[in-house]
Amino acid sequence: MNTISIYNTLINDKDVFIPIDPNHIKMYVCGPTVYNYAHVGNARPVVVFDTLYRLLKHDYAKVTYARNITDIDDKIIEASLETGEDISVITEKYTRIYEEDMGALNAELPDIKPKATEYVGEMIALISDLVSKGHAYESDGHVLFQVSTMDDYGELSGKDVKDLIAGARVNVADYKREGADFVLWKPSTPDQPGWDSPWGRGRPGWHTECSAMIKKELGETIDIHGGGQDLIFPHHENEIAQSKCSHDGANLANYWMHNGYLTVNGEKMSKSLGNFITVHELLEEYPNRGEAIRLALLTSHYKQPADFSREAITQAEKQLCRWYKIVRNSEETKPAKAVLEALRDDLNTPKAIMELNQLAKDSKNAGELKASAKLLGLLFGNAKNWDSTHVLKAGAGKFELTGHDADLLVRRKEAKVNKNWAKADEIRDDFDSRGLKLVDNPDGTTSVEKK
Ligand SMILES: [Zn+2]
């Protein structure tokens, strides 16, 4: 068996992946809170863990991948108050958009997509168990997890409970025993969504759902738990606390994988900076180019901070056009050893992409290139849509022509100069038949637009 190595946040080191059951790998990744469009930073874990999922499926007989949908959250309640739309209308709409947008990046749907609202019974059972074991307490309609009752709280983030308690002394909500305690359940007002519970009508805290869903769908201990680096604390730390304390110290996951932050043009993404790019708008700007967005996201190693730009999409598009040209008439064979080795080495996608470029140097490798690219979720599409001549110019919705088409445009210009109108029209019709419209500009240049 070929081994996979994974950087495990739990031990802050790269480790050989040893599955609990090699016949069935179980992985869980924290999914979206569905109340608006996902931004490109949210797409990074989706693409990263989709690539891992593909590798695991290649290497192991069975893989179950679960990614939850948070469809109850204060941000959703706020969005509902703002728009006047019912909560279920909002969550269903944005779940659908999320799955479509991530699908356009060639991310497969996970095997299980648990929705928080369908697991409230399991969450109440988990919270009751934690209360009965002395790790949680009820206070003023809330139920809180008392972190000081757990010996190794902070094992994932490396945070010290004493520091957390000391640091949180200012402005501690008066229903908390200690500042670091976190909410498992909170009361709902009559106009807020809520469920009946032993502690009155209320709703779960955010961390509770993942622990409850993992236990119900995958079991007490899973192989791999993933998410963005920003989730390490408090979210994943609290998932561990809930599950471990409920399961007599059993690990929630043996391997914790976290992807790094994504900046846009060198800056942190934020609404105030105006560089908040959603996947949805990128897909509108670059129709049918989700695969280029995916490749752009995979050019950096998942653990490293990465920068995203429109230039990166254009670069990725050019690369894909080259690869598609080579695999156009080939059947996939087997993935190349070098690509597999790169991916098995803590999902080293930059190395894998380099190896794909090596393969692309010789058309004899076309079948191998196709099979290898498939592991990265690439070269799935119709090669016809990736004619190297149709490289979209960033943002403009226009085309920058290269290769044969660029030559055609030069020839058409010559024909016009020579008043050979028949020839000029023939070239125009050629573009036209491929869905491309030539526009003669007043300054004598010609631009190409998609019809
Ligand atoms: Zn989670």
Side-chain angles (χ1 to χ4, degrees):
M1 189 72 218
N2 296 293
T3 54
I4 295 177
S5 67
I6 286 175
Y7 188 94
N8 187 356
T9 310
L10 211 49
I11 59 165
N12 277 320
D13 207 351
K14 212 150 90 169
D15 202 3
V16 172
F17 175 61
I18 302 167
I20 299 164
D21 173 6
N23 295 313
H24 189 182
I25 310 299
K26 293 173 181 177
M27 83 177 219
Y28 183 93
V29 174
C30 297
T33 302
V34 280
Y35 68 103
N36 62 14
Y37 293 99
H39 61 69
V40 63
N42 302 136
R44 193 176 188 199
V46 173
V47 166
V48 163
F49 291 105
D50 178 68
T51 306
L52 177 69
Y53 179 45
R54 289 169 191 272
L55 174 68
L56 290 169
K57 282 200 289 186
H58 177 273
D59 281 7
Y60 293 96
K62 187 179 174 194
V63 182
T64 299
Y65 170 24
R67 184 180 67 211
N68 67 312
I69 291 165
T70 301
D71 60 349
I72 175 71
D73 184 270
D74 288 357
K75 289 191 218 90
I76 302 173
I77 298 173
E78 271 167 39
S80 171
L81 288 172
E82 250 168 52
T83 61
E85 280 178 311
D86 196 69
I87 284 178
S88 65
V89 173
I90 295 176
T91 57
E92 275 164 34
K93 176 182 163 190
Y94 286 106
T95 300
R96 181 179 48 77
I97 292 172
Y98 180 83
E99 289 178 353
E100 279 171 11
D101 288 351
M102 299 307 147
L105 306 184
N106 237 339
E108 291 185 61
L109 279 177
D111 303 292
I112 308 173
K113 300 170 288 169
K115 287 183 183 160
T117 52
E118 291 170 4
Y119 292 77
V120 175
E122 282 78 7
M123 289 190 241
I124 291 173
L126 170 69
I127 298 168
S128 300
D129 187 44
L130 290 169
V131 171
S132 73
K133 286 175 177 159
H135 290 292
Y137 59 94
E138 187 190 356
S139 169
D140 202 14
H142 295 73
V143 183
L144 292 118
F145 186 96
Q146 188 167 6
V147 297
S148 60
T149 64
M150 185 186 183
D151 292 338
D152 50 357
Y153 184 85
E155 64 172 332
L156 185 70
S157 59
K159 291 191 189 287
D160 189 300
V161 180
K162 287 192 202 78
D163 295 343
L164 286 171
I165 293 172
R169 270 200 189 123
V170 192
N171 296 329
V172 172
D174 50 14
Y175 51 78
K176 285 190 184 183
R177 281 184 194 165
E178 288 170 319
D181 297 351
F182 63 88
V183 171
L184 298 170
W185 188 264
K186 59 185 163 190
S188 290
T189 57
D191 58 329
Q192 287 172 332
W195 290 261
D196 289 327
S197 80
W199 320 285
R201 188 174 169 279
R203 58 191 192 278
W206 174 41
H207 315 300
T208 323
E209 61 181 274
C210 295
S211 288
M213 293 175 196
I214 291 172
K215 185 182 182 184
K216 171 90 186 288
E217 297 296 340
L218 303 173
E220 288 191 358
T221 304
I222 60 170
D223 293 297
I224 301 168
H225 193 314
Q229 183 185 315
D230 51 322
L231 295 183
I232 296 175
F233 186 86
H235 184 55
H236 288 166
E237 197 70 79
N238 291 349
E239 281 186 33
I240 291 177
Q242 295 162 163
S243 296
K244 254 187 141 171
C245 289
S246 176
H247 304 148
D248 300 323
N251 260 354
L252 171 56
N254 289 338
Y255 298 84
W256 286 81
M257 281 177 84
H258 293 100
N259 64 274
Y261 292 112
L262 191 82
T263 53
V264 171
N265 298 320
E267 283 178 319
K268 194 171 182 274
M269 225 183 313
S270 81
K271 277 194 174 136
S272 56
L273 283 173
N275 63 353
F276 196 88
I277 311 176
T278 68
V279 176
H280 204 76
E281 63 190 333
L282 276 180
L283 289 167
E284 273 172 4
E285 202 176 313
Y286 300 89
N288 303 315
R289 287 298 184 257
E291 206 175 314
I293 299 170
R294 181 185 178 103
L295 176 56
L297 287 168
L298 290 174
T299 47
S300 333
H301 187 252
Y302 79 91
K303 268 194 69 63
Q304 300 304 317
D307 191 51
F308 193 80
S309 64
R310 286 175 167 80
E311 178 57 27
I313 302 179
T314 307
Q315 284 305 322
E317 188 180 30
K318 284 181 181 164
Q319 194 157 34
L320 284 165
C321 287
R322 280 198 301 274
W323 293 349
Y324 267 112
K325 199 171 173 186
I326 295 159
V327 303
R328 180 174 298 251
N329 297 314
S330 315
E331 291 296 320
E332 66 175 80
T333 54
K334 279 192 168 172
K337 195 166 163 277
V339 174
L340 274 168
E341 273 172 8
L343 293 176
R344 285 176 184 140
D345 182 14
D346 194 28
L347 216 61
N348 191 342
T349 54
K351 176 94 191 321
I353 291 166
M354 209 180 79
E355 297 296 347
L356 293 178
N357 275 324
Q358 286 296 326
L359 289 171
K361 282 182 180 163
D362 190 338
S363 59
K364 275 192 305 203
N365 303 324
E368 235 184 337
L369 173 62
K370 203 170 181 178
S372 307
K374 198 175 166 182
L375 284 170
L376 283 92
L378 301 169
L379 299 187
F380 268 80
N382 185 340
K384 273 194 197 131
N385 298 332
W386 291 88
D387 192 312
S388 63
T389 53
H390 308 157
V391 173
L392 266 175
K393 229 181 201 170
K398 292 181 176 167
F399 293 88
E400 179 186 284
L401 297 178
T402 56
H404 181 58
D405 275 8
D407 295 342
L408 276 180
L409 217 57
V410 172
R411 254 175 270 155
R412 180 162 172 274
K413 204 170 173 182
E414 284 167 5
K416 280 168 75 183
V417 168
N418 297 326
K419 300 199 178 349
N420 184 350
W421 308 118
K423 182 71 191 166
D425 287 352
E426 187 193 308
I427 294 170
R428 188 198 59 213
D429 293 345
D430 174 23
F431 279 95
D432 204 78
S433 69
R434 291 180 279 135
L436 299 168
K437 190 174 168 235
L438 294 188
V439 181
D440 293 319
N441 303 309
D443 65 358
T445 63
T446 300
S447 53
V448 186
E449 289 174 9
K450 207 171 204 177
K451 283 204 289 190

